[in-house]
């Protein structure tokens, strides 16, 4: 048995429900560099602390030719995370200084 017309009536209903959640012209202003920078910084802190705590354990770093890989990669992730975070913050501050864009209410949003 084939149901005709079900998908054509459901899709506009779903679009109208989701489109009504935000006002027209609303833009999400989330810069992904901020949460990603915080995540890399957090992992870098964990690795750096672990590398400092196990720095005197020569047996642990024998497989890596005596190089404390946890400490060095922790520092790399800390620096990378902070660069990402600062770039995201700088971008957010720059966008906050710009005047808001006028909203064209005659243009109807259709989907994404």
């Amino acid at each position: 048995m084939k149901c005709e017309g079900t998908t054509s009536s459901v899709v506009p209903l779903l679009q109208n429900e989701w489109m009504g959640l935000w006002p027209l012209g609303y833009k999400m202003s989330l810069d992904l560099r901020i949460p990603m920078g915080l995540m890399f910084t957090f992992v870098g802190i964990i690795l750096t602390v672990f590398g400092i705590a196990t720095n005197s354990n020569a047996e642990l770093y024998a497989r890596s030719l005596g190089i404390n890989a946890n400490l060095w990669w922790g520092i790399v992730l800390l620096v990378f995370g902070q660069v990402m975070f600062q770039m995201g913050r700088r971008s957010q501050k720059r966008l906050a200084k710009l005047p808001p864009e006028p909203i064209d209410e005659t243009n109807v949003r259709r989907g994404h």
Side-chain angles (χ1 to χ4, degrees), residues 2 6 12 18-19 28 58 62 84 93 96 101 103 107:
K2 185 176 180 183
T6 55
W18 286 106
M19 286 171 39
M28 292 184 66
M84 293 265 294
K93 288 179 183 178
E101 295 179 8
I103 298 173
N107 189 8

Side-chain angles (χ1 to χ4, degrees), residues 27-100:
K27 292 183 182 178
M28 292 184 66
S29 61
L30 174 67
D31 192 346
L32 289 178
R33 291 176 287 193
I34 293 174
M36 286 176 57
L38 290 173
M39 180 196 64
F40 280 112
T41 301
F42 181 68
V43 172
I45 289 170
I46 292 172
L47 275 175
T48 303
V49 169
F50 183 76
I52 290 171
T54 60
N55 198 21
S56 61
N57 189 353
E59 181 182 317
L60 182 64
Y61 298 109
R63 289 185 285 177
S64 62
L65 303 175
I67 298 171
N68 190 344
N70 293 319
L71 177 65
W72 287 108
W73 276 108
I75 292 170
V76 167
L77 287 176
L78 266 170
V79 170
F80 178 72
Q82 283 300 303
V83 167
M84 293 265 294
F85 180 74
Q86 294 301 326
M87 286 174 58
R89 293 279 298 184
R90 186 177 64 183
S91 173
Q92 290 292 316
K93 288 179 183 178
R94 183 178 50 88
L95 287 175
K97 291 179 184 178
L98 293 176

Side-chain angles (χ1 to χ4, degrees), residues 18-28 103-105 109:
W18 286 106
M19 286 171 39
L21 293 177
W22 295 286
L24 288 176
Y26 178 78
K27 292 183 182 178
M28 292 184 66
I103 298 173
D104 183 16
E105 294 182 9
R109 288 181 48 187

